[in-house]
C-alpha cells in the first residue's frame, strides 16, 4: 500500500515533468469556447492591429473567447519553431498566422491545414479579394488561408531634404535614371542607398529582377516558367551588384531594416528600399521629411505580401476558428486591423477615407496594378527557398562573386520549385 | 567463472537504473538521431522513407552556396584562432602570476571573471564593441581608435570577408583565456618546489627554468586545456548567434543545424548534428584513452 502511494507520487512527478504529454485521461483542453490565436504580433503596430481584430471578434463572435497565443521575437522565427513542434505533436492552436502564398506549401503538403474553398464562397470572399491575390492563394484548385492584410514590398523611401540638397527634384522611373541620382548623392558624400542584411538584400534583388524581367516573367521565376540562367537574370545580377556599390558597404551585413531606416532619418542616406511597414514606423518616430515612390523601373507593378490565418487539421474548436477567420476576412475586421498596423486591407471594397495618406495611395494601386508576390516574405516561395536565397545574398554581399550567385540561384530553383 | 559472476551480479543490479537511463537518454537519442538522418523527413509529416546516406553526401555535393563546407572552414579558422589566442594569453598570465606578485588574488579574479558572464550577455556587448561602422559612422572599438588617433586600426570586424571569422574568436578568447590561466596556475602550483630550487642552484636562467624544467611538467595540463577549449569551440553557438546572428559569413555547423531545422528539413539537420558529434568524438576519445593509460600506469 505504502509503495503504491509512493509509486503514484512518483508517477505524478514524472507527469509534471513531462507536462504537455498525455498523462491520465482528463485532457486540459479547457472550455471549448476558447479560440487560441497563435501569432508573432507581440508589440508595436502589430499588437495594436491584433487588438483591433480581437475587438471585432468580440462583437461578431460573442459566444467565443479569444485566447492570445502570441510568441514574440526573431521576426517570427521563434514562433515558427514552437509551431512546428506543436503541429508535429498534433496539438495545434485553433488558428495560426502564416504568410499567405507559397510559404503555406509546407503545411499543405504535410496535410496540416484544411481547405477553406467552401467558406470562401459562403462568406463572399471570392469576389471581395482581387483576382491576382485569389490566383496566388490557390493551390491545386483549393484555398487554405484568409489574408488579414496586404503589405507592399517594392517601395523606395527617401529623405526629402537630402535629395533636395543633391539637386534631385523628381523620382526616377528607370534604373538608369536611378543610377544617375545615386551618383549625385555619392558626390554629396552621403550614403546613396541605405541597406540592411540578408532578407532586406533579397528584397532589393527582387525589385531589380522586376525592373529587368517585367512582372509576368518575374512571377514565372517562382513557378518554374522562367529560367534562372537567362540573360535577363544575368543583367539583373549586374544591376544589383552596381546598386550595392552605392550602399553602406561597411555596415550593411550588420544592419536590421530599422538601422538602415535610421540612416535615412538622420540625413546620412538618401534612399532606402523597404516594405510599407516603414510608413507606420516613420510616423511613429515622428519623422515627417520622407517621400516614397515605386522602385524605379517597376512601373505599375505592386509587389505584395500578406499575413493570413488558417484552419489547422486537428483544431479543437473548429466552429470558433471559422468565426475568427470570418472576422479576419470581413470588412469590419480588416478595417480594425489595418488602420492600426499600417497595412492595407486585402478586400477591394474598403473605404479609403478611413486610412492615412500613404495607405490611401497604396489602396488605389492595389485595385488597378499588376500584382506580383514577394519571396523574401513568403508569398512567392517556401521557407527553404527563402533560406537558400538569403544566404546566397549574404555570401554575395561579402565576396561579390557573380558566377557563384548565379549558380546558387539556379540550384535553389531546381531544388525548391513547387515545394 | 562462477565466482566472477557472483561478484558482478549485485553490482549490475545496483547499476541498472543509471545504465538504463544512460542507454535511453544518451545512446538511445543518438541512435534516434542517426536513424532520422538516414530518412527523408520534412515538416511535421511522417518520414517519407529511407534514403540511405544521401543527407550526408548532399552536404558535400548538393548544398546551395556550399554552406556546410563553408561552415566547416569557418569552424577551422575560429578554432585555430580561439585556441591559439586563449592558450597564449592564459599561459602568459599564469607565468606572470605564479611567481607571486602583489595583489595576485585580485588579478586572478579579474582574469577569471569573464568566464562567469554568459556567452549571450558578452555577445551582446561585443556586438556593440565590434560595430562595423568606420569613419563618421564609427561606434564601439572603432570610435575608441579614432578618438585616440589610431584610425589605421579601424576594422570592419566580423563583416570583413577575409578576417570576419578570426574576429569572431576575439570575444571567445576574452571569455576563456582566464580559464586557461587558472588551469595552468594550478599546474604550476602542483610542481614540487624542490625541482625549481634545484634548477636555480644549478644556475638555470629564468628562460631555461621554464623551458626545460617547468613546462615539461605541465604537458597534461596543456592537453586538458586544449581538449576543453577545443570541444567548446566546436559546439560554439550562443556567442556567434548573439554577435552576428545567423549570417552566412560567420556560419558554423551548430548555427547551420539550427537554420536547417527552421526551414523544416529535420533529416538534414540530424545529419549535420551527427557529423558534428563524430568530429567532437575524434577530439575527445583519444584523450580519454590517453588519460586511462596514464591512470593505469600510476
Amino acid at each position: 500500500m505504502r509503495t503504491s502511494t509512493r509509486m503514484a507520487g512518483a508517477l505524478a512527478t514524472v507527469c509534471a515533468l513531462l507536462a504537455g504529454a498525455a498523462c491520465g485521461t482528463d485532457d486540459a483542453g479547457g472550455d471549448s469556447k476558447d479560440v487560441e490565436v497563435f501569432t508573432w504580433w507581440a508589440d508595436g503596430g502589430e499588437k495594436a492591429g491584433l487588438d483591433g481584430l480581437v475587438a471585432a471578434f468580440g462583437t461578431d463572435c460573442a459566444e467565443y473567447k479569444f485566447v492570445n497565443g502570441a510568441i514574440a521575437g526573431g521576426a517570427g522565427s521563434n514562433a515558427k519553431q514552437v509551431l512546428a513542434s506543436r503541429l508535429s505533436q498534433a496539438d495545434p492552436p485553433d488558428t495560426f498566422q502564416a504568410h499567405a502564398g507559397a510559404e503555406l506549401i509546407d503545411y499543405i503538403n504535410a496535410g496540416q491545414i484544411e481547405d477553406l474553398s467552401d467558406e470562401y464562397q459562403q462568406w463572399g470572399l471570392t469576389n471581395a479579394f482581387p483576382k491576382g491575390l485569389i490566383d496566388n492563394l490557390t493551390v491545386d484548385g483549393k484555398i487554405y488561408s484568409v489574408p488579414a492584410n496586404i503589405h507592399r514590398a517594392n517601395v523606395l523611401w527617401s529623405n526629402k531634404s537630402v535629395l533636395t540638397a543633391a539637386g534631385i527634384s523628381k523620382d526616377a522611373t528607370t534604373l538608369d535614371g536611378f543610377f544617375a541620382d545615386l551618383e549625385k548623392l555619392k558626390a554629396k558624400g552621403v550614403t546613396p542607398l541605405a541597406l540592411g542584411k540578408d532578407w532586406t538584400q533579397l528584397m532589393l534583388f527582387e525589385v531589380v529582377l522586376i525592373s529587368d524581367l517585367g512582372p509576368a516573367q518575374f512571377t514565372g521565376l517562382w513557378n518554374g516558367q522562367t529560367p534562372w540562367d537567362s540573360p535577363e537574370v544575368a543583367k539583373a545580377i549586374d544591376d544589383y551588384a552596381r546598386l550595392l556599390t552605392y550602399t553602406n558597404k561597411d555596415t550593411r551585413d550588420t544592419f536590421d531594416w530599422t538601422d538602415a531606416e535610421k540612416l535615412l532619418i538622420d540625413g546620412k542616406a538618401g534612399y532606402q528600399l523597404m516594405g510599407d511597414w516603414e510608413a507606420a514606423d516613420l510616423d511613429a518616430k515622428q519623422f515627417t521629411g520622407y517621400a516614397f515612390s515605386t522602385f524605379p523601373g517597376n512601373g505599375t507593378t505592386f509587389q505584395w505580401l500578406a499575413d493570413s490565418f488558417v484552419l489547422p487539421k486537428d483544431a479543437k474548436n473548429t466552429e470558433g476558428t471559422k468565426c475568427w477567420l470570418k472576422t479576419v476576412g470581413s470588412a469590419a475586421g480588416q478595417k480594425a486591423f489595418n488602420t492600426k498596423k499600417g497595412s492595407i486591407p486585402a478586400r477591394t471594397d474598403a473605404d479609403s477615407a478611413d486610412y492615412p495618406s500613404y495607405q490611401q495611395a497604396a489602396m488605389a494601386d492595389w485595385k488597378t496594378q499588376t500584382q506580383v508576390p514577394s519571396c523574401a516574405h513568403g508569398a512567392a516561395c517556401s521557407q527553404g527557398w527563402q533560406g537558400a536565397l538569403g544566404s546566397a545574398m549574404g555570401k554575395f554581399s561579402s565576396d561579390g562573386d557573380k558566377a557563384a550567385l548565379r549558380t546558387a540561384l539556379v540550384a535553389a530553383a531546381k531544388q525548391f520549385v513547387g515545394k | 567463472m562462477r565466482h566472477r559472476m557472483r561478484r558482478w551480479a549485485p553490482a549490475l543490479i545496483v547499476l541498472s537504473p543509471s545504465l538504463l537511463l544512460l542507454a535511453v537518454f544518451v545512446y538511445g537519442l543518438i541512435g534516434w538521431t542517426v536513424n532520422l538522418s538516414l530518412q527523408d523527413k520534412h515538416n511535421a509529416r511522417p518520414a517519407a522513407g529511407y534514403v540511405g546516406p544521401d543527407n550526408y553526401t548532399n552536404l558535400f555535393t548538393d548544398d546551395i552556396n556550399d554552406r556546410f563546407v563553408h561552415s566547416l572552414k569557418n569552424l577551422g579558422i575560429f578554432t585555430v584562432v580561439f585556441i591559439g589566442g586563449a592558450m597564449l594569453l592564459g599561459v602568459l598570465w599564469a607565468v606572470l602570476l605564479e611567481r607571486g606578485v602583489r595583489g595576485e588574488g585580485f588579478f586572478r579574479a579579474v582574469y577569471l571573471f569573464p568566464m562567469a558572464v554568459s556567452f549571450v550577455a558578452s555577445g551582446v556587448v561585443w556586438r556593440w564593441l565590434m560595430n562595423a561602422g568606420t569613419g563618421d559612422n564609427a561606434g564601439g572599438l572603432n570610435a575608441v581608435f579614432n578618438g585616440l588617433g589610431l584610425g589605421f586600426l579601424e576594422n570592419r570586424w566580423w563583416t570583413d570577408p577575409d578576417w570576419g571569422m578570426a574576429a569572431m574568436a576575439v570575444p571567445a578568447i576574452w571569455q576563456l583565456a582566464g580559464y586557461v590561466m587558472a588551469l595552468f596556475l594550478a599546474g604550476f602550483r602542483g610542481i614540487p618546489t624542490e625541482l625549481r630550487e634545484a634548477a636555480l642552484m644549478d644556475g638555470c636562467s629564468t628562460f631555461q627554468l621554464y623551458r626545460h624544467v617547468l613546462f615539461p611538467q605541465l604537458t597534461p595540463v596543456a592537453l586538458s586545456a586544449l581538449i576543453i577549449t577545443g570541444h567548446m569551440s566546436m559546439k560554439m553557438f550562443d556567442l556567434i548567434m548573439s554577435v552576428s546572428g545567423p549570417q552566412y559569413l560567420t556560419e558554423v555547423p551548430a548555427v547551420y543545424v539550427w537554420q536547417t531545422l527552421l526551414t523544416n528539413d529535420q533529416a538534414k539537420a540530424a545529419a549535420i548534428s551527427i557529423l558534428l558529434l563524430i568530429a567532437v568524438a575524434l577530439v575527445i576519445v583519444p584523450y580519454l584513452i590517453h588519460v586511462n593509460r596514464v591512470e593505469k600506469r600510476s
Side-chain angles (χ1 to χ4, degrees):
Chain A
M1 185 66 224
R2 270 193 54 195
T3 25
S4 69
T5 351
R6 219 182 268 172
M7 213 42 203
L11 266 179
T13 316
V14 171
C15 279
L17 286 174
L18 300 173
C23 274
T25 46
D26 60 313
D27 188 27
D31 192 352
S32 66
K33 293 292 167 223
D34 288 354
V35 179
E36 187 194 359
V37 178
F38 184 98
T39 66
W40 53 83
W41 296 330
D43 49 25
E46 298 179 327
K47 175 79 168 63
L50 181 63
D51 290 345
L53 209 45
V54 173
F57 177 72
T59 15
D60 292 352
C61 312
E63 68 271 34
Y64 297 110
K65 183 165 156 278
F66 168 85
V67 177
N68 192 350
I71 292 191
S77 60
N78 298 352
K80 280 178 191 167
Q81 280 275 54
V82 175
L83 183 64
S85 70
R86 283 186 63 174
L87 289 172
S88 62
Q89 294 159 10
D91 171 38
D94 292 308
T95 181
F96 61 86
Q97 170 195 356
H99 285 129
E103 194 169 290
L104 290 171
I105 285 176
D106 292 341
Y107 304 116
I108 296 168
N109 287 344
Q112 291 163 334
I113 53 179
E114 302 278 9
D115 172 17
L116 296 168
S117 309
D118 295 349
E119 282 74 15
Y120 260 66
Q121 297 295 345
Q122 216 178 313
W123 301 336
L125 295 179
T126 321
N127 303 325
F129 296 148
K131 188 181 174 306
L133 177 63
I134 293 279
D135 287 348
N136 222 296
L137 293 175
T138 307
V139 179
D140 299 333
K142 299 183 181 128
I143 302 181
Y144 292 89
S145 70
V146 179
N149 66 346
I150 296 292
H151 272 297
R152 185 174 193 162
N154 58 338
V155 187
L156 185 68
W157 306 89
S158 58
N159 179 319
K160 279 197 268 193
S161 57
V162 173
L163 261 52
T164 312
I168 301 165
S169 53
K170 211 156 82 40
D171 292 321
T173 53
T174 62
L175 268 180
D176 288 339
F178 188 45
F179 281 126
D181 288 347
L182 292 173
E183 198 55 49
K184 286 179 198 164
L185 287 163
K186 195 175 175 178
K188 276 273 168 226
V190 292
T191 301
L193 180 64
L195 186 62
K197 63 186 177 196
D198 38 39
W199 60 272
T200 68
Q201 292 171 10
L202 180 55
M203 282 179 78
L204 184 63
F205 181 56
E206 284 187 72
V207 295
V208 175
L209 281 169
I210 295 173
S211 290
D212 282 329
L213 276 72
Q217 287 232 21
F218 173 81
T219 307
L221 288 171
W222 310 109
N223 57 24
Q225 304 279 329
T226 309
W228 281 86
D229 47 11
S230 67
E232 289 85 0
V233 175
K235 182 182 181 304
I237 293 176
D238 289 342
D239 285 337
Y240 174 69
R242 196 173 153 195
L243 272 184
L244 284 189
T245 61
Y246 293 104
T247 60
N248 40 314
K249 182 175 181 299
D250 287 351
T251 51
R252 65 181 178 230
D253 294 319
T254 68
F255 272 15
D256 208 338
W257 70 276
T258 44
D259 299 316
E261 178 197 54
K262 192 168 181 311
L263 286 183
L264 196 79
I265 296 173
D266 293 346
K268 288 181 179 169
Y271 289 110
Q272 183 198 2
L273 174 98
M274 193 32 64
D276 58 10
W277 45 91
E278 177 126 337
D281 203 58
L282 288 166
D283 292 342
K285 288 172 179 162
Q286 295 174 359
F287 175 71
T288 51
Y290 70 90
F292 56 89
S293 64
T294 308
F295 186 80
N298 278 199
T300 56
T301 306
F302 188 112
Q303 193 189 22
W304 65 272
L305 53 119
D307 294 303
S308 67
F309 285 94
V310 298
L311 175 58
K313 200 185 180 103
D314 304 304
K316 292 180 204 68
N317 183 359
T318 311
E319 288 315 304
T321 303
K322 282 185 180 169
C323 198
W324 168 262
L325 294 175
K326 192 176 175 180
T327 306
V328 168
S330 71
Q334 299 229 324
K335 179 181 155 186
F337 180 72
N338 290 297
T339 43
K340 300 215 178 60
K341 191 176 184 275
S343 42
I344 63 169
R347 297 177 72 103
T348 46
D349 57 3
D351 182 2
S352 60
D354 299 329
Y355 291 84
S357 69
Y358 165 76
Q359 282 148 280
Q360 290 188 5
M363 284 164 83
D365 289 346
W366 175 239
K367 283 179 198 162
T368 57
Q369 297 194 335
T370 317
Q371 296 160 3
V372 301
S374 150
C375 170
H377 300 283
C381 61
S382 63
Q383 296 189 37
W385 203 343
Q386 277 172 58
L389 293 187
S391 66
M393 289 295 139
K395 181 169 179 285
F396 185 71
S397 175
S398 61
D399 68 10
D401 185 342
K402 289 180 190 174
L405 175 59
R406 205 172 159 164
T407 312
L409 293 172
V410 173
K414 190 173 133 242
Q415 193 169 327
F416 290 108
V417 98
K419 50 177 166 268
Chain B
M1 189 69 216
R2 274 191 52 208
H3 167 79
R4 257 221 171 129
M5 271 297 290
R6 224 174 301 150
R7 262 182 44 198
W8 267 104
L12 257 183
I13 291 167
V14 174
L15 274 173
S16 61
S18 60
L19 284 179
L20 197 72
L21 287 174
L22 261 180
V24 173
F25 285 108
V26 178
Y27 299 98
L29 287 181
I30 291 174
W32 184 82
T33 310
V34 171
N35 183 26
L36 178 64
S37 72
L38 299 171
Q39 304 178 51
D40 170 15
K41 172 86 174 78
H42 283 73
N43 316 324
R45 266 177 301 177
Y50 281 86
V51 291
D54 279 10
N55 284 315
Y56 293 91
T57 50
N58 287 349
L59 288 174
F60 296 96
T61 56
D62 190 22
D63 199 22
I64 293 162
N65 305 318
D66 291 327
R67 274 172 78 174
F68 183 65
V69 176
H70 173 78
S71 72
L72 284 181
K73 227 185 284 175
N74 274 347
L75 183 60
I77 297 169
F78 180 84
T79 304
V80 169
V81 178
F82 162 56
I83 294 184
M87 291 292 272
L88 272 177
L89 261 184
V91 171
L92 184 71
W93 288 342
V95 167
L96 290 176
L97 287 183
E98 68 103 12
R99 325 198 62 181
V101 283
R102 206 182 311 167
E104 183 198 338
F106 168 76
F107 285 113
R108 218 171 34 196
V110 168
Y111 291 147
L112 251 179
F113 188 67
M115 208 192 144
V117 180
S118 88
F119 272 122
V120 175
S122 83
V124 171
V125 175
W126 277 97
R127 183 189 167 81
W128 172 80
L129 281 172
M130 294 164 102
N131 184 312
T134 50
D136 292 342
N137 294 322
L141 284 172
N142 287 346
V144 173
F145 291 151
N146 281 342
L148 296 172
L150 299 171
F152 61 92
L153 281 176
E154 275 200 332
N155 196 313
R156 281 174 58 196
W157 304 107
W158 56 265
T159 61
D160 184 317
D162 301 326
W163 295 96
M165 209 56 219
M168 276 308 290
V170 173
I173 292 171
W174 175 82
Q175 282 216 261
L176 290 164
Y179 178 65
V180 175
M181 174 205 72
L183 285 176
F184 273 91
L185 261 182
F188 276 124
R189 296 277 187 271
I191 298 172
T193 45
E194 293 88 346
L195 276 178
R196 188 188 296 253
E197 282 161 9
L200 289 173
M201 293 274 275
D202 289 343
C204 257
S205 69
T206 311
F207 175 77
Q208 284 170 322
L209 170 73
Y210 280 103
R211 166 82 182 73
H212 295 291
V213 179
L214 298 182
F215 280 149
Q217 297 275 328
L218 294 176
T219 317
V221 174
L223 209 58
S224 304
L226 273 177
I227 297 295
I228 290 164
T229 49
H231 100 267
M232 270 184 173
S233 89
M234 284 175 135
K235 299 191 304 191
M236 193 59 74
F237 173 84
D238 37 12
L239 179 77
I240 288 172
M241 279 302 283
S242 42
V243 177
S244 71
Q247 300 277 334
Y248 176 83
L249 194 64
T250 53
E251 194 162 62
V252 293
V255 173
Y256 190 27
V257 169
W258 181 82
Q259 284 281 80
T260 310
L261 206 56
L262 267 190
T263 52
N264 282 322
D265 193 341
Q266 287 98 329
K268 186 176 173 183
I272 304 169
S273 305
I274 293 298
L275 289 179
L276 199 53
L277 176 75
I278 292 170
V280 174
L282 285 178
V283 172
I284 290 192
V285 170
Y287 172 72
L288 290 178
I289 292 171
H290 170 80
V291 168
N292 271 333
R293 264 200 218 128
V294 172
E295 277 179 1
K296 276 210 183 84
R297 255 187 313 209
S298 48

